[in-house]
Amino acid sequence: MTKSSGDRIFVIDIHERRVGKESGEDESVLADLGKWRVQIRRDFDDLFQPLRGVPPPGEHDFHIHTAPTAKIPPHQPYRMTQSERKEFVVQIKKLLANGWVMDSHSRYAPPIIFVKKPDTTLRMCVDYCGLNAIMAKDRYPLPYIEDLLDKLHGAQVFTKLDLASGYHQVRVHSDECHKTAFIAPDGFYEYKVIPFGLANVPAAFMRMMHKILHPRHRNAIVYLDHVLIF
């Protein structure tokens, strides 16, 4: 929650942290904040459930448009370290359990790579460079951050939302799931929801979010999966 005063902005960020006698902080105050967090979680438990499943087909299904004569790019799997193989097993089990991927017999078969996130954990990605090269590009623009900030003039109270696994909340059109296929150490899989690394995803996601939030455009701004209500 933030409140502006002249050229100053005051920010309150409530998060979990360890406290002790050495910290010099008021443990009773932080304990009350902890109880408040627990109560919020209890009152709105249905909103904090892990994201699972695939949304029903609809107007926001993601399409992968390629020319009928486009040649499927050849690929070879990349070598994996033992730690990456273990991480793959963990992540593919989660993707299968959530219903986000399924077994595939597609002729598309780009390899997977692992990208280290800022918190040092690994994100499994697919090298879609070959597919991206033959996709018809979506030119829907992303908004300028400066334009978004201009809309906040005079606002004093803000609520920030960050969608959980935003891309995985959008279905890939059933006729085109085979184009998302990837080769893995134990076989082939394909996505039923939008994966990371595909061209056109930011543009398509931005178009969807603009359409969904248009009725609230006077008091909400959005940049991909980040929403600010003011």
Side-chain angles (χ1 to χ4, degrees):
M1 180 173 63
T2 66
K3 183 174 182 179
S4 60
S5 176
D7 294 328
R8 296 177 296 171
I9 296 179
F10 302 92
V11 180
I12 301 174
D13 184 15
I14 299 175
H15 56 90
E16 295 180 86
R17 62 184 301 179
R18 294 183 178 181
V19 298
K21 295 180 179 179
E22 302 83 1
S23 67
E25 297 178 274
D26 189 333
E27 295 187 27
S28 63
V29 173
L30 292 176
D32 288 340
L33 287 176
K35 293 178 182 177
W36 176 76
R37 288 169 56 88
V38 171
Q39 187 62 44
I40 290 291
R41 179 67 181 264
R42 183 180 295 118
D43 292 344
F44 300 95
D45 184 64
D46 58 319
L47 300 180
F48 289 92
Q49 296 303 312
L51 182 65
R52 289 194 177 94
V54 180
E59 62 175 312
H60 300 303
D61 287 0
F62 181 71
H63 290 270
I64 304 173
H65 297 296
T66 55
T69 57
K71 294 183 179 180
I72 297 176
H75 291 286
Q76 291 293 330
Y78 296 146
R79 183 182 179 277
M80 285 187 184
T81 64
Q82 287 302 312
S83 60
E84 288 175 338
R85 285 179 175 270
K86 291 179 180 178
E87 183 62 25
F88 167 77
V89 172
V90 172
Q91 296 200 27
I92 199 66
K93 282 183 177 179
K94 179 180 178 181
L95 290 170
L96 288 167
N98 288 345
W100 295 340
V101 301
M102 59 184 176
D103 292 328
S104 177
H105 300 281
S106 173
R107 292 186 296 156
Y108 291 80
I112 60 174
I113 56 176
F114 284 93
V115 178
K116 185 173 290 187
K117 297 192 288 187
D119 61 1
T120 72
T121 58
L122 296 175
R123 169 178 286 158
M124 189 181 81
C125 301
V126 182
D127 184 357
Y128 284 121
C129 289
L131 175 59
N132 290 341
I134 62 174
M135 285 177 63
K137 299 303 183 287
D138 186 341
R139 303 300 181 186
Y140 192 87
L142 299 183
Y144 286 107
I145 298 297
E146 293 80 2
D147 291 342
L148 297 180
L149 294 176
D150 287 345
K151 293 185 66 176
L152 302 180
H153 178 72
Q156 294 186 331
V157 180
F158 306 90
T159 298
K160 179 172 70 89
L161 304 177
D162 189 359
L163 302 186
S165 303
Y167 286 178
H168 292 347
Q169 295 192 42
V170 184
R171 170 190 287 267
V172 175
H173 193 278
S174 58
D175 292 341
E176 294 160 350
C177 286
H178 68 283
K179 296 179 182 179
T180 69
F182 58 93
I183 189 170
D186 63 345
F188 289 96
Y189 300 93
E190 62 188 51
Y191 276 93
K192 294 190 284 184
V193 294
I194 292 180
F196 288 96
L198 273 182
N200 296 343
V201 167
F205 197 88
M206 195 73 250
R207 179 188 290 106
M208 179 191 72
M209 293 298 289
H210 273 161
K211 188 167 185 178
I212 291 173
L213 291 175
H214 180 72
R216 297 285 180 257
H217 71 278
R218 293 185 181 276
N219 65 334
I221 59 176
V222 58
Y223 190 91
L224 295 176
D225 60 344
H226 301 284
V227 181
L228 188 67
I229 303 168
F230 57 95

